[in-house]
Amino acid sequence: MEARKMRDINESDYSKIVQSQTFQELLSAKKKFIVPVTIFFFCFYFALPILTSYTNVLNNTFIGSITWAWVFAFLQFVMTWGLCMLYSRKAARFDELAEKVVQERGKGS
Amino acid sequence: MNIAAFTMFLGIVFVTLIITYYASKKTNNASEFYTAGGGLTGWQNGMAIAGDYMSAASFLGIAGAVALTGFDGFFYSIGFLVAYLVVLYLVAEPMRNLGKYTFADMIAARFDANKIRGFAAMNTVAISIFYMIAQLVGAGALIKLLLGLEYTTSVLIVGILMTVYVIFGGMHATSWVQIVKAVLLMGGTLLISIIVFAKFNFSITGMFAHMKDATPLKEAFLNPGVKYKDGLDTISLNMGLVLGTAGLPHILVRFFTVKDAKTARSSVVYATWIIGIFYVMTIFLGFGAAAFVGTADITAANAAGNMAAPLLAKALGGNMLFAFVSAVAFATILAVVAGLVLTAASAFAHDFYNEILCKGKASEGQQVKMARYAAIGVSVLSIILALFAQSLNVAFLVSLAFAVAASANLPVILYTIYWKRFNTTGAIWAMAVGLISAVGLVLISPNVFSPEAGKAIFVGNPLFPYTTPGIVSIPLGFLAGYLGTIFSSQKADVKKYEEVLVKTNTGIGLGQ
């Protein structure tokens, strides 16, 4: 396997990286962002079928013949695009930290 | 036969074969064959993901579903799109950082056991073939309607083309066919949407006001509940839609065609924009078809509504637009089936042959040769199955593919990346239970058994009440992975998890 041929990295190196402050910072930064947003988008998404199945609130009029169901459906698109861009923005910080982890490994060992 | 349509079909065949010719020159080793050498840029891969994903079911199926059932048809559009948040936030980057050529590689990065690789590869092949039969049966019916060719001839044409792209051009040809298709599909859909919107004087409120009276459903057309009357059935459908994509092997392998996690991320972002814009336009396709073709004519051409989009094109722009949209649908099918053939062939050649049988020691030449044989084998098998399935209602196959992906693949993917204690027993349990429960529940669902003759494959009462198994099988897959792990005497391999954690988050070890 090609991955095994890696020049100078072995099991203890991985442990060392995991324990490093930068790596821990990277993990917690990711967790703090990804976990709540993921919970949010699942709730937002499943709210639509739950509301349409068990209530009639979304059948009320928004403007003219457009009901709230369509508005909520369109908001799902807006949410998806919005969270996509948000992730791209946040990920720049993750990339910086990941890069720092890689550099520290080069210096340390 | 429709001359304009025939000419445009030939045009598509010609363009894709030229792509394959150029791609074949680059396809000289395993990495080029499986992943185009990992050299695609973010936008190229984003377009290819969109081209791989927006199947005939999306284009023809959703247009028909919105035209016939209004809001309920639009559930598919929403679910298929929001699914990309799961891909982006949880799966895409780890997949790129851990895997090499196949979905099974990524699981094997943590559990280096042949039975796990074998299981993952088997799920890949099963999902890809379910999906492919559905596409081929759809393609046969479509070409029959559009060009008047026999069903068997139509399936053979599509089958031969997909085999040619894959065996000669590998991932290079597959990706570029998908990119060209994405451009054509977006162009065609945009054109029709603008014409439809113009007919409503570019007024959204005017359009909705018109739709209120335009169909036999009247006001109900604009409200949820025409098709999905049972809450749990609706939620089950939505679970499968939103969680399935992140477990579909032919989508997952696309992340191996880019060089790093950053590019994988940007390709998902491009794909999400393209796919989202497309699915917004399905409203115009569906509303347009309902308003300007009419429910009666749509169901007369095809009971499931699959001809709604081409018929709308005919109603709006006559024969030329009809021919163009038909050709776009043809290109759509080709791009998707090529991706499926390549994915299933990679699982055979890379996972079963090279990694398991040859213990990872097959030469580059042998690997590529075996991948080509596998592509031929997968194609022939799918074509034969599709010929037998002609008279069956195969809509359930796509839902089956999504259900297996969400129930068998997604739990293993997420546990492998994020759960320290996860072990090989848990991985096997999750994959086995996910696969068996998803397939088993579909076999006893209303898609297979219906009391009314002709509505499903067998006449009888379904034992499972919901049309999709997700609401039961997805939790079962996760539960099995959890229970398998905690009940096994195996200790968690913390060292290996640390390695996976570092690789996932930093890309260390990638491409070395």
Side-chain angles (χ1 to χ4, degrees), chain A residues 2 4 6 14-15 18 23 27 30 33 37 45 48-49 52-54 59 65-66 69-70 77 81 83 87-88 91 95, chain B residues 71 75 79 81 89 93 100 112 208-209 222 224 231-232 238 242 262 265 269 272 276 280 495 498-499 502-503 505 509 512:
Chain A
E2 284 172 60
R4 302 264 163 71
M6 283 179 354
Y14 286 122
S15 296
V18 170
F23 190 79
L27 284 190
K30 275 192 169 177
F33 172 63
V37 176
Y45 174 72
L48 175 64
T52 63
S53 299
Y54 298 105
N59 289 0
S65 305
I66 304 175
W70 290 96
F77 284 73
W81 290 323
L83 291 184
Y87 184 88
S88 302
D95 289 341
Chain B
F71 188 88
F75 270 128
L81 178 71
Y89 274 72
E93 295 178 42
K100 193 176 168 198
D112 203 0
F208 275 79
L222 292 176
L232 292 178
N238 280 280
V242 81
K262 214 170 157 177
R265 175 196 313 148
V269 174
T272 307
V280 168
K495 291 280 171 219
E498 284 178 337
E499 182 186 330
V502 170
K503 285 182 174 174
N505 287 293
Q512 288 189 24

Short mmCIF file of all heavy atoms in Angstrom, two decimals, chain A residues 2 4 6 14-15 18 23 27 30 33 37 45 48-49 52-54 59 65-66 69-70 77 81 83 87-88 91 95, chain B residues 71 75 79 81 89 93 100 112 208-209 222 224 231-232 238 242 262 265 269 272 276 280 495 498-499 502-503 505 509 512:
data_model
loop_
_atom_site.label_atom_id
_atom_site.label_comp_id
_atom_site.label_asym_id
_atom_site.label_seq_id
_atom_site.Cartn_x
_atom_site.Cartn_y
_atom_site.Cartn_z
N GLU A 2 0.51 2.16 -0.87
CA GLU A 2 1.35 3.35 -0.98
C GLU A 2 1.38 4.17 0.30
O GLU A 2 2.40 4.71 0.68
CB GLU A 2 0.85 4.24 -2.12
CG GLU A 2 1.22 3.69 -3.48
CD GLU A 2 0.56 4.48 -4.58
OE1 GLU A 2 0.84 5.69 -4.62
OE2 GLU A 2 -0.21 3.90 -5.35
N ARG A 4 1.49 3.34 3.21
CA ARG A 4 2.41 2.84 4.23
C ARG A 4 3.84 3.31 4.02
O ARG A 4 4.65 3.23 4.90
CB ARG A 4 2.43 1.30 4.18
CG ARG A 4 1.11 0.68 4.39
CD ARG A 4 0.93 0.27 5.86
NE ARG A 4 -0.47 0.04 6.12
CZ ARG A 4 -1.12 -1.01 5.64
NH1 ARG A 4 -0.51 -1.91 4.93
NH2 ARG A 4 -2.40 -1.13 5.89
N MET A 6 4.95 6.09 3.69
CA MET A 6 5.20 7.46 4.10
C MET A 6 6.52 7.60 4.83
O MET A 6 6.85 6.79 5.69
CB MET A 6 4.08 7.94 4.98
CG MET A 6 2.91 8.28 4.10
SD MET A 6 1.49 8.84 4.97
CE MET A 6 1.95 8.61 6.60
N TYR A 14 1.44 10.05 15.07
CA TYR A 14 0.02 10.40 15.04
C TYR A 14 -0.48 10.77 16.43
O TYR A 14 -1.20 11.75 16.60
CB TYR A 14 -0.80 9.24 14.47
CG TYR A 14 -0.66 9.09 12.98
CD1 TYR A 14 -0.19 7.90 12.42
CD2 TYR A 14 -0.99 10.13 12.12
CE1 TYR A 14 -0.06 7.76 11.05
CE2 TYR A 14 -0.86 10.00 10.74
CZ TYR A 14 -0.39 8.81 10.21
OH TYR A 14 -0.26 8.68 8.86
N SER A 15 -0.05 9.99 17.44
CA SER A 15 -0.46 10.33 18.81
C SER A 15 0.03 11.71 19.19
O SER A 15 -0.69 12.51 19.80
CB SER A 15 0.12 9.32 19.80
OG SER A 15 -0.41 8.06 19.55
N VAL A 18 -2.07 14.29 17.54
CA VAL A 18 -3.39 14.39 18.16
C VAL A 18 -3.32 15.18 19.47
O VAL A 18 -4.20 15.98 19.78
CB VAL A 18 -4.00 12.98 18.42
CG1 VAL A 18 -5.25 13.08 19.29
CG2 VAL A 18 -4.34 12.30 17.10
N PHE A 23 -3.63 20.91 17.00
CA PHE A 23 -4.59 19.93 16.49
C PHE A 23 -5.86 19.94 17.33
O PHE A 23 -6.97 19.89 16.79
CB PHE A 23 -3.96 18.53 16.47
CG PHE A 23 -4.81 17.52 15.75
CD1 PHE A 23 -4.82 17.48 14.36
CD2 PHE A 23 -5.59 16.62 16.44
CE1 PHE A 23 -5.60 16.56 13.68
CE2 PHE A 23 -6.39 15.70 15.76
CZ PHE A 23 -6.38 15.66 14.39
N LEU A 27 -9.71 20.62 16.12
CA LEU A 27 -10.87 19.75 16.38
C LEU A 27 -11.99 20.51 17.08
O LEU A 27 -13.16 20.40 16.70
CB LEU A 27 -10.46 18.56 17.25
CG LEU A 27 -9.69 17.42 16.59
CD1 LEU A 27 -9.62 16.24 17.55
CD2 LEU A 27 -10.33 16.99 15.28
N LYS A 30 -13.73 22.96 14.76
CA LYS A 30 -14.64 22.28 13.82
C LYS A 30 -15.91 21.85 14.54
O LYS A 30 -17.01 22.03 14.04
CB LYS A 30 -13.95 21.04 13.24
CG LYS A 30 -13.08 21.34 12.03
CD LYS A 30 -12.69 20.04 11.36
CE LYS A 30 -12.05 20.29 10.02
NZ LYS A 30 -11.59 19.04 9.37
N PHE A 33 -18.44 24.51 15.35
CA PHE A 33 -19.18 25.02 14.20
C PHE A 33 -20.08 23.94 13.59
O PHE A 33 -21.28 24.14 13.39
CB PHE A 33 -18.21 25.55 13.15
CG PHE A 33 -18.88 25.92 11.86
CD1 PHE A 33 -19.82 26.94 11.81
CD2 PHE A 33 -18.57 25.24 10.69
CE1 PHE A 33 -20.44 27.28 10.62
CE2 PHE A 33 -19.19 25.57 9.50
CZ PHE A 33 -20.13 26.59 9.46
N VAL A 37 -24.56 23.53 13.64
CA VAL A 37 -25.16 23.83 12.33
C VAL A 37 -25.84 22.59 11.76
O VAL A 37 -26.93 22.67 11.19
CB VAL A 37 -24.10 24.38 11.34
CG1 VAL A 37 -24.72 24.58 9.97
CG2 VAL A 37 -23.51 25.68 11.85
N TYR A 45 -34.95 21.19 8.12
CA TYR A 45 -35.40 20.36 7.00
C TYR A 45 -36.63 19.53 7.38
O TYR A 45 -37.63 19.53 6.69
CB TYR A 45 -34.26 19.45 6.52
CG TYR A 45 -34.69 18.46 5.46
CD1 TYR A 45 -34.99 18.90 4.17
CD2 TYR A 45 -34.84 17.11 5.75
CE1 TYR A 45 -35.41 18.01 3.20
CE2 TYR A 45 -35.26 16.21 4.78
CZ TYR A 45 -35.54 16.67 3.51
OH TYR A 45 -35.96 15.79 2.56
N LEU A 48 -40.35 20.89 7.75
CA LEU A 48 -41.28 21.04 6.61
C LEU A 48 -42.22 19.84 6.47
O LEU A 48 -43.44 20.01 6.53
CB LEU A 48 -40.49 21.31 5.32
CG LEU A 48 -41.34 21.36 4.04
CD1 LEU A 48 -42.31 22.53 4.06
CD2 LEU A 48 -40.45 21.47 2.81
N PRO A 49 -41.70 18.60 6.30
CA PRO A 49 -42.65 17.48 6.20
C PRO A 49 -43.49 17.28 7.46
O PRO A 49 -44.64 16.86 7.37
CB PRO A 49 -41.76 16.26 5.94
CG PRO A 49 -40.39 16.66 6.32
CD PRO A 49 -40.31 18.14 6.11
N THR A 52 -46.23 19.93 7.30
CA THR A 52 -47.22 19.69 6.24
C THR A 52 -48.04 18.44 6.54
O THR A 52 -49.18 18.34 6.11
CB THR A 52 -46.56 19.51 4.85
OG1 THR A 52 -45.71 18.36 4.88
CG2 THR A 52 -45.78 20.72 4.43
N SER A 53 -47.46 17.48 7.28
CA SER A 53 -48.19 16.23 7.53
C SER A 53 -49.18 16.35 8.68
O SER A 53 -50.24 15.74 8.66
CB SER A 53 -47.22 15.10 7.84
OG SER A 53 -46.37 14.87 6.75
N TYR A 54 -48.76 17.08 9.72
CA TYR A 54 -49.58 17.04 10.93
C TYR A 54 -50.32 18.34 11.25
O TYR A 54 -51.06 18.40 12.21
CB TYR A 54 -48.71 16.61 12.12
CG TYR A 54 -48.16 15.22 11.93
CD1 TYR A 54 -46.83 15.01 11.58
CD2 TYR A 54 -48.99 14.11 12.06
CE1 TYR A 54 -46.33 13.73 11.38
CE2 TYR A 54 -48.51 12.82 11.85
CZ TYR A 54 -47.17 12.64 11.52
OH TYR A 54 -46.70 11.38 11.31
N ASN A 59 -50.68 25.89 5.03
CA ASN A 59 -51.63 26.11 3.94
C ASN A 59 -52.20 27.53 3.94
O ASN A 59 -52.94 27.90 3.04
CB ASN A 59 -52.79 25.11 4.04
CG ASN A 59 -52.33 23.71 3.69
OD1 ASN A 59 -51.15 23.50 3.40
ND2 ASN A 59 -53.24 22.76 3.73
N SER A 65 -51.99 33.63 -4.13
CA SER A 65 -52.25 32.19 -4.04
C SER A 65 -51.04 31.44 -3.49
O SER A 65 -51.05 30.22 -3.41
CB SER A 65 -52.58 31.63 -5.42
OG SER A 65 -53.65 32.34 -5.97
N ILE A 66 -49.97 32.16 -3.15
CA ILE A 66 -48.77 31.50 -2.63
C ILE A 66 -48.96 31.23 -1.14
O ILE A 66 -49.21 32.15 -0.36
CB ILE A 66 -47.52 32.36 -2.86
CG1 ILE A 66 -47.38 32.69 -4.35
CG2 ILE A 66 -46.28 31.63 -2.36
CD1 ILE A 66 -46.26 33.64 -4.67
N ALA A 69 -46.34 27.08 2.70
CA ALA A 69 -45.62 25.86 2.37
C ALA A 69 -44.56 26.14 1.30
O ALA A 69 -43.42 25.67 1.39
CB ALA A 69 -46.59 24.79 1.89
N TRP A 70 -44.94 26.93 0.28
CA TRP A 70 -43.98 27.25 -0.79
C TRP A 70 -42.88 28.16 -0.28
O TRP A 70 -41.73 28.05 -0.70
CB TRP A 70 -44.71 27.89 -1.98
CG TRP A 70 -45.57 26.90 -2.70
CD1 TRP A 70 -46.91 26.71 -2.53
CD2 TRP A 70 -45.15 25.94 -3.67
NE1 TRP A 70 -47.34 25.68 -3.33
CE2 TRP A 70 -46.29 25.20 -4.06
CE3 TRP A 70 -43.92 25.64 -4.28
CZ2 TRP A 70 -46.24 24.17 -5.00
CZ3 TRP A 70 -43.87 24.63 -5.22
CH2 TRP A 70 -45.01 23.91 -5.57
N PHE A 77 -34.04 26.13 0.20
CA PHE A 77 -32.99 26.41 -0.80
C PHE A 77 -32.07 27.50 -0.28
O PHE A 77 -30.84 27.40 -0.37
CB PHE A 77 -33.62 26.84 -2.13
CG PHE A 77 -34.21 25.71 -2.92
CD1 PHE A 77 -35.39 25.10 -2.52
CD2 PHE A 77 -33.57 25.22 -4.05
CE1 PHE A 77 -35.93 24.04 -3.24
CE2 PHE A 77 -34.10 24.16 -4.77
CZ PHE A 77 -35.28 23.58 -4.37
N TRP A 81 -27.99 27.12 0.37
CA TRP A 81 -26.96 27.98 -0.23
C TRP A 81 -26.24 28.79 0.85
O TRP A 81 -25.01 28.92 0.82
CB TRP A 81 -27.58 28.92 -1.26
CG TRP A 81 -28.04 28.22 -2.51
CD1 TRP A 81 -27.43 27.17 -3.13
CD2 TRP A 81 -29.21 28.51 -3.28
NE1 TRP A 81 -28.14 26.80 -4.22
CE2 TRP A 81 -29.23 27.60 -4.36
CE3 TRP A 81 -30.22 29.46 -3.18
CZ2 TRP A 81 -30.24 27.60 -5.34
CZ3 TRP A 81 -31.22 29.45 -4.15
CH2 TRP A 81 -31.23 28.54 -5.21
N LEU A 83 -25.81 28.14 4.09
CA LEU A 83 -24.91 27.34 4.92
C LEU A 83 -23.70 26.85 4.13
O LEU A 83 -22.63 26.61 4.69
CB LEU A 83 -25.66 26.16 5.54
CG LEU A 83 -26.70 26.52 6.60
CD1 LEU A 83 -27.31 25.28 7.21
CD2 LEU A 83 -26.07 27.38 7.70
N TYR A 87 -20.04 27.70 5.40
CA TYR A 87 -19.04 26.65 5.60
C TYR A 87 -17.74 27.02 4.88
O TYR A 87 -16.65 26.89 5.45
CB TYR A 87 -19.56 25.32 5.08
CG TYR A 87 -18.61 24.16 5.35
CD1 TYR A 87 -18.68 23.44 6.53
CD2 TYR A 87 -17.64 23.80 4.41
CE1 TYR A 87 -17.81 22.40 6.78
CE2 TYR A 87 -16.76 22.76 4.66
CZ TYR A 87 -16.85 22.07 5.85
OH TYR A 87 -15.97 21.03 6.09
N SER A 88 -17.85 27.50 3.64
CA SER A 88 -16.65 27.89 2.90
C SER A 88 -15.86 28.94 3.66
O SER A 88 -14.63 28.89 3.72
CB SER A 88 -17.01 28.48 1.53
OG SER A 88 -17.73 27.56 0.81
N ALA A 91 -14.31 27.44 6.80
CA ALA A 91 -13.31 26.42 6.51
C ALA A 91 -11.94 27.05 6.26
O ALA A 91 -10.91 26.38 6.42
CB ALA A 91 -13.74 25.59 5.32
N ASP A 95 -8.52 25.41 7.46
CA ASP A 95 -7.36 25.17 6.59
C ASP A 95 -6.09 25.73 7.21
O ASP A 95 -5.04 25.11 7.17
CB ASP A 95 -7.58 25.79 5.21
CG ASP A 95 -8.63 25.04 4.41
OD1 ASP A 95 -8.91 23.87 4.75
OD2 ASP A 95 -9.18 25.61 3.46
N PHE B 71 -47.38 20.32 -5.03
CA PHE B 71 -46.39 20.51 -3.99
C PHE B 71 -45.68 19.21 -3.60
O PHE B 71 -44.48 19.20 -3.37
CB PHE B 71 -47.03 21.13 -2.74
CG PHE B 71 -46.02 21.51 -1.69
CD1 PHE B 71 -45.42 22.77 -1.72
CD2 PHE B 71 -45.63 20.62 -0.71
CE1 PHE B 71 -44.47 23.11 -0.77
CE2 PHE B 71 -44.68 20.96 0.24
CZ PHE B 71 -44.10 22.21 0.20
N PHE B 75 -41.23 17.88 -2.98
CA PHE B 75 -40.47 17.31 -1.86
C PHE B 75 -39.14 16.72 -2.33
O PHE B 75 -38.12 16.83 -1.67
CB PHE B 75 -41.27 16.20 -1.17
CG PHE B 75 -42.14 16.68 -0.05
CD1 PHE B 75 -43.49 16.36 0.02
CD2 PHE B 75 -41.60 17.45 0.99
CE1 PHE B 75 -44.29 16.80 1.06
CE2 PHE B 75 -42.39 17.88 2.04
CZ PHE B 75 -43.74 17.56 2.07
N GLY B 79 -35.41 17.64 -0.90
CA GLY B 79 -34.60 16.61 -0.25
C GLY B 79 -33.30 16.34 -0.99
O GLY B 79 -32.23 16.25 -0.37
N LEU B 81 -31.64 18.33 -2.69
CA LEU B 81 -30.70 19.45 -2.53
C LEU B 81 -30.14 19.54 -1.11
O LEU B 81 -28.91 19.63 -0.93
CB LEU B 81 -31.35 20.78 -2.90
CG LEU B 81 -30.39 21.95 -2.71
CD1 LEU B 81 -29.29 21.94 -3.75
CD2 LEU B 81 -31.10 23.28 -2.71
N TYR B 89 -20.92 19.08 5.05
CA TYR B 89 -20.52 19.26 6.45
C TYR B 89 -19.88 18.01 7.05
O TYR B 89 -19.04 18.11 7.92
CB TYR B 89 -21.75 19.67 7.30
CG TYR B 89 -21.98 21.16 7.29
CD1 TYR B 89 -22.47 21.78 6.14
CD2 TYR B 89 -21.68 21.95 8.39
CE1 TYR B 89 -22.68 23.15 6.12
CE2 TYR B 89 -21.90 23.32 8.36
CZ TYR B 89 -22.39 23.92 7.24
OH TYR B 89 -22.58 25.27 7.21
N GLU B 93 -14.95 16.03 2.80
CA GLU B 93 -13.52 16.20 3.07
C GLU B 93 -12.88 14.96 3.67
O GLU B 93 -11.81 14.54 3.23
CB GLU B 93 -13.30 17.45 3.93
CG GLU B 93 -13.70 18.71 3.17
CD GLU B 93 -13.55 19.97 4.01
OE1 GLU B 93 -12.53 20.09 4.72
OE2 GLU B 93 -14.44 20.81 3.96
N LYS B 100 -8.93 6.37 -1.60
CA LYS B 100 -8.05 6.48 -2.76
C LYS B 100 -8.85 6.35 -4.05
O LYS B 100 -8.96 7.30 -4.81
CB LYS B 100 -7.00 5.38 -2.66
CG LYS B 100 -5.85 5.56 -3.61
CD LYS B 100 -4.82 4.48 -3.37
CE LYS B 100 -3.80 4.43 -4.46
NZ LYS B 100 -3.08 3.15 -4.45
N ASP B 112 -8.45 -2.48 8.36
CA ASP B 112 -7.79 -3.14 7.24
C ASP B 112 -8.14 -4.62 7.23
O ASP B 112 -7.30 -5.47 7.48
CB ASP B 112 -6.27 -2.93 7.35
CG ASP B 112 -5.61 -3.08 6.00
OD1 ASP B 112 -6.34 -3.35 5.03
OD2 ASP B 112 -4.39 -2.96 5.92
N PHE B 208 -48.88 31.44 -9.65
CA PHE B 208 -49.57 30.64 -8.63
C PHE B 208 -51.08 30.80 -8.75
O PHE B 208 -51.83 29.85 -8.59
CB PHE B 208 -49.08 31.01 -7.22
CG PHE B 208 -47.83 30.28 -6.81
CD1 PHE B 208 -46.59 30.69 -7.27
CD2 PHE B 208 -47.90 29.16 -5.99
CE1 PHE B 208 -45.44 30.00 -6.91
CE2 PHE B 208 -46.75 28.47 -5.62
CZ PHE B 208 -45.52 28.89 -6.08
N ALA B 209 -51.53 32.04 -9.03
CA ALA B 209 -52.97 32.27 -9.16
C ALA B 209 -53.54 31.43 -10.31
O ALA B 209 -54.60 30.82 -10.20
CB ALA B 209 -53.24 33.76 -9.42
N LEU B 222 -51.77 23.17 -5.06
CA LEU B 222 -50.76 24.02 -4.42
C LEU B 222 -50.51 23.65 -2.96
O LEU B 222 -49.62 24.20 -2.32
CB LEU B 222 -51.17 25.49 -4.52
CG LEU B 222 -51.16 26.07 -5.94
CD1 LEU B 222 -51.67 27.49 -5.93
CD2 LEU B 222 -49.77 26.01 -6.54
N PRO B 224 -49.72 20.73 0.17
CA PRO B 224 -49.15 19.41 0.41
C PRO B 224 -50.28 18.41 0.67
O PRO B 224 -51.36 18.79 1.11
CB PRO B 224 -48.32 19.59 1.67
CG PRO B 224 -48.19 21.05 1.88
CD PRO B 224 -49.34 21.70 1.21
N GLY B 231 -48.32 10.82 7.43
CA GLY B 231 -47.19 11.59 7.93
C GLY B 231 -45.90 10.80 7.99
O GLY B 231 -44.85 11.27 7.55
N LEU B 232 -45.98 9.57 8.51
CA LEU B 232 -44.75 8.78 8.65
C LEU B 232 -44.19 8.37 7.29
O LEU B 232 -42.98 8.27 7.12
CB LEU B 232 -45.02 7.54 9.52
CG LEU B 232 -45.31 7.84 10.98
CD1 LEU B 232 -45.62 6.57 11.75
CD2 LEU B 232 -44.15 8.58 11.63
N ASN B 238 -38.56 11.57 3.15
CA ASN B 238 -37.61 12.68 3.34
C ASN B 238 -36.31 12.22 4.00
O ASN B 238 -35.24 12.74 3.69
CB ASN B 238 -38.27 13.79 4.14
CG ASN B 238 -39.16 14.65 3.26
OD1 ASN B 238 -38.69 15.51 2.55
ND2 ASN B 238 -40.44 14.38 3.26
N VAL B 242 -32.68 12.85 2.17
CA VAL B 242 -31.66 13.76 2.70
C VAL B 242 -30.42 12.99 3.18
O VAL B 242 -29.32 13.51 3.16
CB VAL B 242 -32.27 14.65 3.82
CG1 VAL B 242 -32.34 13.93 5.15
CG2 VAL B 242 -31.47 15.94 3.96
N LYS B 262 -9.67 20.68 0.26
CA LYS B 262 -10.11 22.02 -0.07
C LYS B 262 -10.84 22.03 -1.42
O LYS B 262 -11.88 22.67 -1.58
CB LYS B 262 -8.87 22.92 -0.16
CG LYS B 262 -9.07 24.32 0.29
CD LYS B 262 -7.72 24.99 0.37
CE LYS B 262 -7.87 26.48 0.27
NZ LYS B 262 -6.58 27.17 0.41
N ARG B 265 -14.17 20.32 -1.15
CA ARG B 265 -15.14 21.25 -0.57
C ARG B 265 -15.67 22.21 -1.63
O ARG B 265 -16.87 22.38 -1.78
CB ARG B 265 -14.46 22.03 0.55
CG ARG B 265 -15.31 23.12 1.18
CD ARG B 265 -14.43 24.07 1.99
NE ARG B 265 -13.50 23.33 2.84
CZ ARG B 265 -12.28 23.77 3.15
NH1 ARG B 265 -11.84 24.93 2.71
NH2 ARG B 265 -11.49 23.04 3.91
N VAL B 269 -19.53 22.90 -3.15
CA VAL B 269 -20.19 24.20 -3.17
C VAL B 269 -20.68 24.54 -4.58
O VAL B 269 -21.84 24.93 -4.77
CB VAL B 269 -19.26 25.30 -2.61
CG1 VAL B 269 -19.90 26.68 -2.77
CG2 VAL B 269 -18.94 25.03 -1.15
N THR B 272 -23.65 22.33 -5.35
CA THR B 272 -24.86 22.72 -4.64
C THR B 272 -25.55 23.90 -5.31
O THR B 272 -26.78 23.94 -5.41
CB THR B 272 -24.53 23.05 -3.17
OG1 THR B 272 -23.83 21.94 -2.62
CG2 THR B 272 -25.78 23.27 -2.36
N GLY B 276 -29.08 23.27 -6.95
CA GLY B 276 -30.14 24.07 -6.35
C GLY B 276 -30.89 24.89 -7.38
O GLY B 276 -32.12 24.92 -7.40
N VAL B 280 -34.87 24.55 -8.36
CA VAL B 280 -35.84 25.65 -8.34
C VAL B 280 -36.60 25.67 -9.67
O VAL B 280 -37.82 25.85 -9.71
CB VAL B 280 -35.14 27.01 -8.11
CG1 VAL B 280 -36.10 28.16 -8.39
CG2 VAL B 280 -34.61 27.12 -6.69
N LYS B 495 -4.87 3.72 18.51
CA LYS B 495 -3.78 4.21 17.64
C LYS B 495 -4.28 4.44 16.22
O LYS B 495 -3.98 5.44 15.58
CB LYS B 495 -2.66 3.17 17.59
CG LYS B 495 -1.92 3.02 18.89
CD LYS B 495 -0.91 4.15 19.03
CE LYS B 495 -0.32 4.16 20.41
NZ LYS B 495 -0.11 5.51 20.94
N GLU B 498 -6.47 7.41 16.00
CA GLU B 498 -5.69 8.66 16.00
C GLU B 498 -5.14 8.95 14.60
O GLU B 498 -5.14 10.08 14.14
CB GLU B 498 -4.55 8.56 17.02
CG GLU B 498 -5.06 8.74 18.45
CD GLU B 498 -3.95 8.60 19.48
OE1 GLU B 498 -2.92 7.96 19.18
OE2 GLU B 498 -4.12 9.13 20.60
N GLU B 499 -4.70 7.88 13.93
CA GLU B 499 -4.20 8.05 12.57
C GLU B 499 -5.30 8.59 11.66
O GLU B 499 -5.10 9.54 10.90
CB GLU B 499 -3.68 6.70 12.06
CG GLU B 499 -3.08 6.78 10.67
CD GLU B 499 -2.70 5.41 10.11
OE1 GLU B 499 -2.35 4.51 10.91
OE2 GLU B 499 -2.77 5.25 8.89
N VAL B 502 -6.11 12.23 12.41
CA VAL B 502 -5.12 13.16 11.86
C VAL B 502 -5.27 13.27 10.35
O VAL B 502 -5.33 14.38 9.79
CB VAL B 502 -3.68 12.70 12.22
CG1 VAL B 502 -2.66 13.52 11.44
CG2 VAL B 502 -3.44 12.84 13.71
N LYS B 503 -5.40 12.13 9.69
CA LYS B 503 -5.53 12.16 8.22
C LYS B 503 -6.80 12.91 7.81
O LYS B 503 -6.77 13.74 6.90
CB LYS B 503 -5.58 10.74 7.67
CG LYS B 503 -4.24 10.05 7.65
CD LYS B 503 -4.37 8.67 7.04
CE LYS B 503 -3.01 8.01 6.87
NZ LYS B 503 -3.17 6.61 6.42
N ASN B 505 -8.46 15.22 9.27
CA ASN B 505 -8.51 16.66 9.53
C ASN B 505 -7.39 17.47 8.90
O ASN B 505 -7.50 18.68 8.81
CB ASN B 505 -8.55 16.90 11.05
CG ASN B 505 -9.90 16.54 11.62
OD1 ASN B 505 -10.89 17.18 11.35
ND2 ASN B 505 -9.94 15.46 12.39
N GLY B 509 -0.58 12.48 4.64
CA GLY B 509 -0.56 11.13 4.08
C GLY B 509 -1.26 11.04 2.74
O GLY B 509 -1.18 10.02 2.07
N GLN B 512 0.64 10.17 -0.92
CA GLN B 512 2.03 9.74 -0.77
C GLN B 512 2.18 8.26 -1.08
O GLN B 512 1.24 7.52 -0.97
CB GLN B 512 2.49 10.00 0.66
CG GLN B 512 2.67 11.48 0.90
CD GLN B 512 3.33 11.76 2.24
OE1 GLN B 512 4.02 10.92 2.78
NE2 GLN B 512 3.12 12.94 2.76
#
